[in-house]
Amino acid sequence: MVDDKGKNMKCLTFFLMLPETVKNRSKKSSKKGNSSSSSSSSKLPPVCYEIITLKTKKKKKMAADIFPRKKPANTNTTAVQQYHQQNLNNNNTIPAPNWQGLYPTIRERNAVMFNNDLMADVHFVVGPPGGTQRLPGHKYVLAVGSSVFHAMFYGELAEDKDEIRIPDVEPAAFLAMLKYIYCDEIDLAADTVLATLYAAKKYIVPHLARACVNFLETSLSAKNACVLLSQSCLFEEPDLTQRCWEVIDAQAELALKSEGFCDIDFQTLESILRRETLNAKEIVVFEAALNWAEVECQRQDLPVSIENKRKVLGKALYLIRIPTMALDDFANGAAQSGVLTLNETNDIFLWYTAAKKPELEFVSNARKGLVPQRCHRFQSCAYRSNQWRYRGRCDSIQFAVDKRVFIAGFGLYGSSCGSAEYSAKIELKRQGVILGQNLSKYFSDGSSNTFPVWFEYPVQIEPDTFYTASVILDGNELSYFGQEGMTEVQCGKVTVQFQCSSDSTNGTGVQGGQIPELIFYA
């Protein structure tokens, strides 16, 4: 309908029965039954309706629009808090006679039923024997949130059980899944997220599973990468698997030395030992494999002995590229470990020294590792007679990336007055917290090239956050310095942004100075 001003308007139409018509119809009805002939010959008068149309400009609103989410009135605040606490503590029926009036939306009223015995028509005994927890549920709500629950309660093979045992899911993880189904809230914790992912996969709750994977990707580090790799393969999450490999490749030595490495299954161990891009010394790989074998002996209730370590490693031992170790590492490490047989030890020594090398069961080709990328932020460099000088002052710059990378070190300028040696203390910080540092020396040949200085281990850098790169150089000679600095540099698939740092006390900034290069793996 259109009003006199040409604006669209909505109409509400009511059908009203006129009073006189109702009266006449009532009289006619009272005479019914006096005679069959008269009732058949006389007909009731037609019912009259009057149509009334009301004009309105108001848009139809839902409960959430009418009652915006806000804190309840003071009179109800205590009651609301008590009900939320009841959900956490799994208390019994809500005592308030009109608890529904405390919550304006269906979502909030539905959330009251979470972990609540009120109107519960099924109970779950969750957890392994000795660690179970009895949790209430409501079949309709669960069936709406999960196709597995729908089949369980309303499918063709549905069983009418009041209590269902679930021994393979942890109670905390099952509660997290129920909270999502009832409240549309995702509440994840580092110590239960894997178990929650398992529950979400088992009961086909895909959005919760995706949230778990995102949580794991965000919290991914060298300490948990190996465990998450094992779990990601189990849960068939290829994106998470790829992220795990990126961390393991770049921070291989940290990952192999982590406690989590010893918790992986044999199949995951083999996949890591086969990895061509593993960025680690082979002696570190060998020692990590022995640590895993020791824990595996304990898992299998075997005495921890050299023989049993070799037994549980099996053919995986030959995936360790022992012939590619430095001779000192082999002689002082693997050769004296007792894990290798006498013939294997002799053959590997001949492999190092003899012109005619024996055949070995071990893989003899060195791993390719990762090729570091270099982000150069200056368009030119120069030197002058009175700069760049070092007297214990700090050169610093801030940077941010748009993808996760691993900073392996910095490229630094060297002497502009011939060959010289510098002592460099490099440091990487985030919001004042030191993430990595190292003290080393490097030798410059007098050219304007950059010279790499490395951290002990690559440092993981998250996207869209500024980090501070700093160096304190100690040397007698003046050095080259960068000019025409860029605020943004595209390096492969990674975009790096630079900005000045307040830590810089020796003149380095975006436009010029030291730290011309970031060396990283991506």
Side-chain angles (χ1 to χ4, degrees), residues 208-407:
L208 178 61
R210 184 67 253 171
C212 291
V213 172
N214 291 339
F215 183 95
L216 292 171
E217 290 179 355
T218 303
S219 59
L220 185 61
S221 69
K223 294 181 180 180
N224 59 20
C226 294
V227 173
L228 294 184
L229 174 67
S230 176
Q231 297 297 320
S232 66
C233 295
L234 175 65
F235 295 136
E236 297 181 346
E237 289 289 344
D239 291 341
L240 180 59
T241 301
Q242 179 59 32
R243 299 293 184 274
C244 291
W245 278 125
E246 290 173 1
V247 175
I248 293 172
D249 284 342
Q251 297 181 303
E253 294 193 1
L254 285 176
L256 294 173
K257 292 178 180 179
S258 67
E259 294 182 3
F261 177 79
C262 296
D263 296 330
I264 62 177
D265 58 273
F266 183 76
Q267 184 177 358
T268 305
L269 173 71
E270 285 187 310
S271 63
I272 292 177
L273 296 182
R274 285 194 181 97
R275 191 72 174 172
E276 190 71 28
T277 50
L278 211 59
N279 197 36
K281 295 179 181 178
E282 207 62 34
I283 185 62
V284 175
V285 179
F286 178 80
E287 292 171 349
L290 292 188
N291 292 336
W292 179 90
E294 181 177 342
V295 176
E296 183 65 16
C297 287
Q298 297 171 2
R299 282 194 287 263
Q300 297 185 20
D301 295 326
L302 297 173
V304 180
S305 63
I306 293 175
E307 293 77 12
N308 285 334
K309 285 183 181 180
R310 176 157 183 146
K311 177 182 177 181
V312 297
L313 281 172
K315 293 294 184 179
L317 177 65
Y318 298 110
L319 299 176
I320 305 172
R321 308 187 183 195
I322 295 178
T324 67
M325 291 182 185
L327 181 57
D328 289 346
D329 290 339
F330 173 73
N332 298 319
Q336 299 186 42
S337 66
V339 175
L340 303 179
T341 65
L342 183 60
N343 287 337
E344 288 171 342
T345 303
N346 289 337
D347 287 345
I348 294 173
F349 267 120
L350 290 175
W351 175 269
Y352 282 110
T353 57
K356 184 179 180 181
K357 301 184 183 299
E359 291 186 2
L360 301 174
E361 290 190 69
F362 295 93
V363 179
S364 56
N365 297 324
R367 302 179 195 272
K368 295 179 180 179
L370 294 176
V371 179
Q373 300 183 44
R374 294 175 180 250
C375 176
H376 197 92
R377 67 188 189 94
F378 294 124
Q379 300 182 65
S380 64
C381 67
Y383 69 90
R384 295 172 187 162
S385 59
N386 61 344
Q387 59 179 345
W388 208 262
R389 189 181 299 278
Y390 306 100
R391 295 175 180 174
R393 292 191 291 263
C394 178
D395 288 287
S396 181
I397 192 71
Q398 288 191 332
F399 69 94
V401 295
D402 63 342
K403 292 181 176 62
R404 175 183 287 160
V405 300
F406 302 87
I407 296 293

